[in-house]
């Protein structure tokens, strides 16, 4: 697996100089992506492709080859894979479709046998390739990508892989890896978890899967990884119709969702209800400090938001703290008489920045409070960016003093709240505009991971 993700050399079987061909796209991504290892185009009809000497077969390459990317039709894969195995290739990246997902079970079994006989680990078939940004490795025919981060994402679907790309770029999340697994004829999620477990470039793993080939292996690998890094799973094919679609997409046996729910719970992973949820969890969980206890407090400038945030906390499995009398009095010292202490703490909407600062700082300094949920609504008294800059400053000042707690925020208002949320995210505070549910769901995901990891 290390040779696959950190290869010294990559051969492209089916490399082409013709734009529009998969073999051409893979070559361009490897070269233009800045990959620093050797690149060997394999094409029996060419002597030169994109300025690099081409070879008739991988057997003709006069150097060691760590990875071979296959960009040829399924029918031509077996003999080429035999040559790659004889060459000592470590990883075969099988882009071609036309195997088990189309009913060609025998063809898939044949390449599995060839790979196993030669000790080649195989990604796919029926995949878009993979990215590993620490090595500037873009071994795919899809969009090039180079925004480095600490999240590794895997998917059985090329479309989901591309959604990951766009989200990562737009939100500036960045990734360590994006890996297509397709039919999972060989390498599957537990193999990838084993690599990402020891990968210093990866702090969280998110996985889209349609089935599990080895449920017990997955549980064992995930349990190890979640002790140190969050693992987020989006299980597709929850419904009968979705399961049927998964069968025709990757040949997946999607199975009973209640069984999968139990497997994923045993594994200690955070299950995401949808694609956007998976991506937001992946983006947010590495940013948030681990809570040291279960007491969550809501501080809000809008009573209506406080009610919705309370509902969201219950839905997310969070515990709203019963505020003791002395802490209640401490909060009351900072809010107007017509506000409401308790939990949520309603500071009311017309308050200046100092009220937000004082109440949030109190929430961060009192050791009985373990996480804060902030509700903001747009007023001219405290505009969105004033709120964002203030909260970022207070949170950082308290973290510098050792008062490290997760803080999430819901911002309601005109479009300026979008910029304010971006600013807060950039400064380590998870914040979302126009929703009370999403920030609390992300906090709930952090808590679920912390419990599974034995940290609470």
């Amino acid at each position: 697996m290390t040779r696959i993700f950190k290869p010294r050399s990559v051969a492209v079987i089916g490399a082409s100089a013709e734009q529009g061909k998969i073999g051409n796209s893979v070559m361009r991504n490897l070269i233009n992506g800045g990959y620093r290892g050797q690149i060997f185009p394999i094409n029996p009809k060419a002597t030169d492709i994109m300025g690099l000497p081409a070879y008739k077969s991988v057997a003709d390459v006069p150097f060691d080859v760590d990875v071979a990317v296959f960009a040829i039709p399924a029918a031509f894969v077996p003999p080429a894979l035999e040559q790659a195995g004889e060459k000592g290739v470590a990883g075969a990246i099988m882009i071609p479709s036309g195997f088990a997902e189309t009913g060609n079970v025998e063809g898939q079994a044949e390449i599995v046998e060839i790979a196993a006989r030669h000790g080649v680990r195989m990604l796919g078939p029926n995949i878009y390739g993979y990215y590993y940004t620490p090595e500037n490795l873009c071994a795919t025919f899809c969009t090039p990508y180079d925004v480095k981060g600490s999240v590794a994402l895997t998917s059985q679907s090329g479309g989901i892989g591309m959604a990951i790309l766009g989200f990562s770029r737009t939100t500036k999340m960045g990734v360590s890896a994006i890996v297509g697994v397709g039919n999972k004829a060989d390498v599957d999620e537990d193999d990838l978890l084993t690599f990402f477990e020891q990968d210093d470039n990866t702090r969280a793993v998110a996985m889209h899967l349609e089935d599990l080939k080895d449920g017990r292996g997955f549980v064992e690998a995930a349990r190890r990884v979640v002790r140190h890094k969050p693992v987020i799973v989006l299980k597709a094919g929850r419904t009968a119709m979705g399961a049927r679609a998964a069968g025709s997409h990757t040949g997946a046996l999607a199975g009973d969702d209640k069984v999968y729910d139990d497997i994923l719970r045993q594994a200690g992973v955070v299950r995401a209800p949808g694609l956007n949820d998976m991506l937001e969890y992946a983006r947010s969980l590495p940013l948030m400090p681990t809570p040291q206890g279960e007491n969550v407090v809501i501080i809000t400038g809008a009573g209506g938001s406080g009610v919705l945030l309370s509902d969201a906390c219950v839905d997310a499995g969070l515990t709203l703290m019963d505020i003791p009398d002395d802490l209640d009095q401490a909060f009351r010292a900072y809010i107007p008489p017509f506000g409401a202490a308790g939990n949520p703490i309603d500071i009311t909407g017309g308050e200046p920045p100092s009220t937000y600062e004082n109440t949030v700082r109190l929430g961060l300094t009192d050791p009985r409070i373990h996480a804060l949920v902030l509700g903001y609504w747009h007023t001219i008294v405290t505009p969105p960016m004033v709120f964002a800059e203030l909260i970022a400053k207070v949170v950082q000042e308290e973290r510098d003093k050792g008062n490290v707690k997760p803080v999430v925020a819901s911002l309601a208002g005109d479009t300026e709240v979008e910029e304010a949320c971006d600013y807060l995210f950039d400064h380590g505070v998870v914040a979302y505009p126009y929703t009370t549910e999403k920030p609390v769901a992300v906090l709930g995901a952090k808590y679920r991971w912390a419990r599974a990891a034995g940290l609470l």
Side-chain angles (χ1 to χ4, degrees), residues 154-197:
T154 74
S155 73
Q156 278 193 256
S157 158
I160 301 304
M162 293 309 98
I164 292 167
L165 278 189
F167 179 90
S168 301
R169 193 185 299 280
T170 299
T171 61
K172 297 176 286 188
M173 174 177 75
V175 300
S176 58
I178 302 175
V179 185
V181 293
N183 296 6
K184 294 191 289 194
D186 177 25
V187 171
D188 61 6
E189 285 83 7
D190 43 301
D191 295 305
L192 294 170
L193 282 171
T194 300
F195 173 78
F196 293 131
E197 176 185 13

Side-chain angles (χ1 to χ4, degrees), residues 347 350-360 379-383 386-387 390-391 394:
I347 69 173
E351 288 302 292
S354 59
T355 308
Y356 280 105
E357 177 171 2
N358 291 330
T359 52
V360 170
T379 68
I380 296 175
V381 179
T382 305
V386 170
F387 170 81
L390 172 71
I391 296 303
V394 171

